[in-house]
Amino acid sequence: MDHVRPWAEGGSTSLNNLTSLCQAHHRLKHTPGWILTRQDDGALVWTTPTGARYRRGRDGAITLMAHKGRAPPAGRSCRADSGVTGRRRRRRGCGPSAVRPEPC
């Protein structure tokens, strides 16, 4: 289990602030420039150092979100391939060569 908002920064040890991350995503979360947040519906939002945002819904669907201050790309969304776990891949059509977090 991992704190979405770090305990050392005032994050609580409660169900709404905990998530299960694999070792690779735990490291990514602590890599400078990467930000992980949770939305009210439980979805996780990863923000890359370039500002690209990916929303992983509770159903596993991954959607490319608009950069802050920009309109969302027309018809762009990503869905994790079933059976592929723990890998970071480049996916055509999901941002400018963006590496996005994959489901664990």
Side-chain angles (χ1 to χ4, degrees), residues 23-38:
Q23 185 176 15
H25 286 109
H26 178 81
R27 280 193 217 122
L28 187 65
K29 179 180 163 258
H30 292 282
T31 301
W34 286 84
I35 300 168
L36 177 63
T37 56
R38 175 175 276 141

Side-chain angles (χ1 to χ4, degrees), residues 6 12 19 30-31 34 45-46 48 51 59 79 90 97 103-104:
S12 64
T19 191
H30 292 282
T31 301
W34 286 84
V45 176
W46 288 89
T48 71
D59 64 353
R79 174 101 178 144
R90 294 186 190 272
S97 301
C104 296

Side-chain angles (χ1 to χ4, degrees), residues 5-98:
R5 180 176 180 205
W7 182 84
E9 295 176 16
S12 64
T13 303
S14 61
L15 291 177
N16 63 349
N17 190 45
L18 293 173
T19 191
S20 180
L21 297 176
C22 66
Q23 185 176 15
H25 286 109
H26 178 81
R27 280 193 217 122
L28 187 65
K29 179 180 163 258
H30 292 282
T31 301
W34 286 84
I35 300 168
L36 177 63
T37 56
R38 175 175 276 141
Q39 295 183 322
D40 291 339
D41 66 356
L44 296 174
V45 176
W46 288 89
T47 304
T48 71
T50 63
R53 297 182 306 145
Y54 296 91
R55 180 183 189 277
R56 182 170 191 265
R58 295 181 67 130
D59 64 353
I62 298 173
T63 305
L64 175 64
M65 300 172 70
H67 278 66
K68 290 186 178 181
R70 292 189 198 168
R76 298 277 173 112
S77 76
C78 304
R79 174 101 178 144
D81 296 333
S82 60
V84 177
T85 59
R87 295 184 188 164
R88 290 174 19 183
R89 298 182 291 181
R90 294 186 190 272
R91 169 97 68 163
R92 184 179 288 172
C94 294
S97 301

